[in-house]
Amino acid sequence: MKVAVVGATGMVGHVMLQVLAERNFPITELIPVASARSVGKTVSYKGKDYTISSMEDAIAARPDIAIFSAGGATSLEFAPKFAAVGTTVVDNSSAWRMDPEKKLIVPEINASELEDTDKIIANPNCSTIQMVLALAPLHKKYKIKRLVISTYQSITGTGVKAVQQLENEYKGEQGEMAYPYPIHRNAIPACDVFTDNGYTKEEMKLVNETQKILGDKSIAVTATAVRIPVVGGHSEAINVQFENDFDLAEVRQILQAQEGVTVQDNPDTNTYPMPIYAEGKNDVFVGRLRRDFSQENTLNMWVVADNLRKGAATNAVQIAEYLAAKELV
């Protein structure tokens, strides 16, 4: 299996290589790809150094799979070029997610939709992935009517520049700013850019991607996405109104049975998900499960995951694993 990792020097690309190694993905030839200024440099994979290739050389090598984490513009330009030489692309940007011709995949939910003709496959947004993994089995059982979401998002979702900004501010040093305001000791209620309707792109991803992955446009979704000075992962307070009533004990059982979900929910021992413990792990952690007494058939939940792992790299690698296991590449 010849695998290209496009954006290998970025934060997600780095974690992508880690996850591929940890999960022993069957790579016979690794082709790390990055921008022109990184070509010729090296990245490490399983203790060995690999030279970074240019996009053109990687396409010429005709890899079986190319996992992209290099931004939307790069994906729009180069993913079709890889697909044209027979490579299956798993893309981590927002470029293809809402394209009606492209599948938007969280493997535990809808990998069975994939066919060998799917040459560009979209990896959902980080905040969407962790939420829908927890919601999918509940939707199946009780049917979701409406979601009200508040996110508390890690700065690693912005990238290395944001991590540097926080570190500088923590030390009281001046430096390049990833955000228009300080992030240390602050909360910025604007993830990504604002759209014409007053919501940010991040908030609209939670609306549109959720409906597409769960295959139900009737689900009403509203979201507020907030950036906080945390590095371990994204947290989400989710208010879920169902069509049908639920039993809280059964909700716990359903979530415990869901592959990729760990329930951490015991108020007596102060057990609940937190990003400091989610960091570096591949699961989605769910807790603070309680009935919303202000409205019928409504559940409150708290969902946390490492946004660089299940929110990005791990999900993409799981898609690649499915493709390999089902001989779709």
Side-chain angles (χ1 to χ4, degrees):
M1 186 78 65
K2 199 188 282 191
V3 177
V5 175
V6 180
T9 56
M11 277 193 105
V12 174
H14 177 70
V15 178
M16 205 87 77
L17 293 170
Q18 271 182 314
V19 174
L20 285 164
E22 285 167 11
R23 296 172 75 91
N24 272 315
F25 190 80
I27 294 177
T28 50
E29 188 183 335
L30 175 68
I31 308 165
V33 186
S35 61
R37 66 179 180 273
S38 297
V39 171
K41 293 178 184 174
T42 60
V43 292
S44 180
Y45 176 74
K46 287 191 171 181
K48 190 179 159 196
D49 284 344
Y50 289 80
T51 304
I52 292 169
S53 295
S54 69
M55 205 71 84
E56 291 71 23
D57 288 346
I59 293 164
R62 295 173 177 252
D64 299 289
I65 293 173
I67 306 177
F68 269 64
S69 190
T74 302
S75 293
L76 285 171
E77 184 180 353
F78 290 103
K81 293 179 180 178
F82 275 94
V85 298
T87 301
T88 300
V89 175
V90 181
D91 180 47
N92 198 47
S93 81
S94 59
W96 305 99
R97 289 178 190 150
M98 296 315 296
D99 183 327
E101 301 296 309
K102 306 290 183 285
K103 311 273 173 67
L104 186 61
I105 300 295
V106 177
E108 297 93 336
I109 300 173
N110 61 349
S112 59
E113 291 178 11
L114 291 172
E115 297 163 340
D116 58 6
T117 51
D118 292 312
K119 286 302 178 194
I120 299 174
I121 300 160
N123 206 39
N125 186 43
C126 44
S127 49
T128 306
I129 291 173
Q130 67 186 68
M131 180 176 75
V132 294
L133 189 55
L135 292 179
L138 300 178
H139 180 53
K140 210 171 179 179
K141 178 74 181 174
Y142 309 113
K143 192 167 185 344
I144 296 169
K145 186 174 178 182
R146 182 173 187 244
L147 299 169
V148 182
I149 309 145
S150 298
T151 75
Y152 307 76
Q153 295 186 215
S154 162
I155 57 167
T156 56
T158 306
V160 71
K161 196 172 153 186
V163 176
Q164 195 60 56
Q165 179 182 333
L166 179 60
E167 285 175 2
N168 288 342
E169 289 169 358
Y170 188 71
K171 291 185 282 195
E173 295 174 2
Q174 291 295 310
E176 206 180 350
M177 304 269 286
Y179 304 112
Y181 300 100
I183 187 65
H184 179 46
R185 294 183 172 179
N186 198 14
I188 301 174
C191 296
D192 209 329
V193 297
F194 284 95
T195 64
D196 292 342
N197 66 6
Y199 286 81
T200 62
K201 272 190 178 177
E202 187 79 6
E203 290 158 355
M204 293 313 299
K205 287 171 190 174
L206 282 160
V207 177
N208 299 324
E209 294 179 22
T210 299
Q211 291 174 340
K212 182 169 177 176
I213 295 162
L214 296 180
D216 190 341
K217 284 206 163 136
S218 74
I219 299 171
V221 187
T222 189
T224 302
V226 182
R227 194 72 66 185
I228 60 169
V230 161
V231 295
H234 292 347
S235 305
E236 296 168 333
I238 308 168
N239 181 267
V240 194
Q241 185 183 13
F242 297 106
E243 297 277 1
N244 305 297
D245 201 9
F246 59 88
D247 174 71
L248 210 46
E250 187 181 43
V251 165
R252 278 198 184 84
Q253 286 172 350
I254 289 167
L255 289 166
Q256 282 162 343
Q258 173 61 50
E259 183 193 346
V261 168
T262 296
V263 176
Q264 296 178 325
D265 189 41
N266 188 345
D268 295 338
T269 56
N270 288 323
T271 301
Y272 30 71
M274 290 181 282
I276 198 168
Y277 297 124
E279 186 173 9
K281 299 184 176 77
N282 294 316
D283 267 16
V284 170
F285 299 90
V286 181
R288 298 297 322 276
L289 294 162
R290 62 217 189 272
R291 189 175 282 277
D292 176 353
F293 295 113
S294 71
Q295 183 168 256
E296 61 179 18
N297 305 348
T298 304
L299 175 76
N300 280 312
M301 61 201 299
W302 175 251
V303 178
V304 178
D306 185 327
N307 54 294
L308 297 179
R309 282 192 169 249
K310 184 55 183 171
T314 304
N315 198 75
V317 172
Q318 286 173 315
I319 293 171
E321 286 172 341
Y322 183 88
L323 295 170
K326 297 292 180 184
E327 298 181 350
L328 298 174
V329 289

Coordinates of all heavy atoms in Angstrom, one line a residue, residues 248 252 262-273 286-290:
L248 N -33.0 7.4 30.7 CA -31.6 7.8 30.9 C -30.7 6.6 31.0 O -29.6 6.6 30.5 CB -31.5 8.7 32.1 CG -30.4 9.8 32.1 CD1 -30.3 10.5 30.8 CD2 -30.6 10.7 33.3
R252 N -27.5 5.7 28.5 CA -26.1 5.3 28.9 C -25.7 4.0 28.2 O -24.6 3.9 27.7 CB -26.0 5.1 30.4 CG -25.9 6.4 31.1 CD -25.3 6.3 32.6 NE -25.3 7.6 33.2 CZ -26.4 8.1 33.8 NH1 -27.5 7.5 33.8 NH2 -26.3 9.3 34.3
T262 N -16.5 6.6 24.9 CA -16.3 6.2 26.3 C -17.2 7.1 27.1 O -17.1 8.3 27.0 CB -14.8 6.4 26.7 OG1 -14.0 5.5 25.9 CG2 -14.6 6.1 28.2
V263 N -18.0 6.5 28.0 CA -18.9 7.2 28.9 C -18.1 7.5 30.2 O -17.6 6.5 30.8 CB -20.2 6.5 29.1 CG1 -21.1 7.2 30.1 CG2 -21.0 6.3 27.8
Q264 N -18.0 8.7 30.5 CA -17.4 9.1 31.8 C -18.5 10.0 32.5 O -18.6 11.2 32.3 CB -16.2 10.0 31.6 CG -15.0 9.2 30.9 CD -13.8 10.0 30.7 OE1 -13.9 11.2 30.4 NE2 -12.6 9.4 30.7
D265 N -19.3 9.4 33.4 CA -20.5 10.1 33.9 C -20.8 9.6 35.3 O -21.7 8.7 35.4 CB -21.6 9.9 32.9 CG -22.8 10.8 33.3 OD1 -22.6 11.9 33.7 OD2 -24.0 10.3 33.2
N266 N -20.2 10.2 36.3 CA -20.5 9.8 37.7 C -20.3 11.1 38.6 O -19.2 11.4 39.0 CB -19.7 8.7 38.2 CG -20.2 8.2 39.6 OD1 -20.9 8.9 40.2 ND2 -19.7 7.0 40.0
P267 N -21.4 11.8 38.8 CA -21.3 13.0 39.6 C -20.8 12.8 41.0 O -20.2 13.6 41.6 CB -22.8 13.5 39.6 CG -23.5 12.9 38.5 CD -22.8 11.6 38.3
D268 N -21.1 11.6 41.6 CA -20.7 11.2 42.9 C -19.1 11.2 43.1 O -18.6 11.5 44.1 CB -21.2 9.9 43.4 CG -22.7 9.8 43.4 OD1 -23.3 10.9 43.6 OD2 -23.3 8.7 43.4
T269 N -18.5 10.9 42.0 CA -17.0 10.9 42.0 C -16.4 12.0 41.2 O -15.2 12.0 40.9 CB -16.5 9.5 41.5 OG1 -17.0 9.3 40.2 CG2 -16.9 8.4 42.5
N270 N -17.2 13.0 40.8 CA -16.7 14.1 39.9 C -16.1 13.5 38.7 O -15.0 14.0 38.2 CB -15.7 15.0 40.7 CG -16.4 15.9 41.7 OD1 -17.6 16.3 41.5 ND2 -15.8 16.1 42.8
T271 N -16.8 12.5 38.1 CA -16.2 11.9 36.8 C -17.0 12.5 35.7 O -18.2 12.3 35.6 CB -16.4 10.4 36.9 OG1 -15.7 9.9 38.0 CG2 -15.9 9.7 35.6
Y272 N -16.3 13.2 34.8 CA -16.9 13.7 33.6 C -15.7 14.0 32.6 O -14.6 14.1 33.0 CB -17.6 15.0 33.9 CG -17.1 15.9 35.0 CD1 -15.9 16.5 34.9 CD2 -17.8 15.9 36.2 CE1 -15.4 17.3 36.0 CE2 -17.3 16.6 37.3 CZ -16.1 17.3 37.2 OH -15.6 18.0 38.3
P273 N -16.0 14.1 31.3 CA -14.9 14.3 30.3 C -14.3 15.7 30.4 O -15.0 16.7 30.7 CB -15.7 14.2 29.0 CG -16.9 13.5 29.3 CD -17.3 13.9 30.6
V286 N -18.0 11.1 26.7 CA -19.4 11.6 26.9 C -19.7 11.5 28.4 O -19.5 10.5 29.0 CB -20.4 10.8 26.1 CG1 -21.8 11.4 26.3 CG2 -20.1 10.9 24.6
G287 N -20.3 12.6 28.9 CA -20.7 12.7 30.3 C -21.8 13.7 30.5 O -22.3 14.3 29.6
R288 N -22.0 14.1 31.8 CA -23.0 15.0 32.3 C -24.3 14.7 31.6 O -25.1 15.6 31.2 CB -22.6 16.5 32.0 CG -21.3 17.0 32.6 CD -21.4 17.1 34.1 NE -22.6 17.5 34.7 CZ -23.0 18.8 34.8 NH1 -22.2 19.8 34.5 NH2 -24.2 19.1 35.4
L289 N -24.7 13.5 31.6 CA -25.9 13.0 31.0 C -27.1 13.3 31.9 O -27.1 12.8 33.1 CB -25.9 11.6 30.6 CG -24.9 11.2 29.5 CD1 -24.6 9.7 29.6 CD2 -25.4 11.6 28.1
R290 N -28.0 14.1 31.5 CA -29.2 14.5 32.4 C -30.3 15.0 31.6 O -30.2 15.5 30.5 CB -28.8 15.5 33.4 CG -28.3 16.9 32.8 CD -27.2 17.5 33.6 NE -26.9 18.8 33.2 CZ -26.1 19.2 32.2 NH1 -25.5 18.2 31.5 NH2 -25.9 20.4 31.9

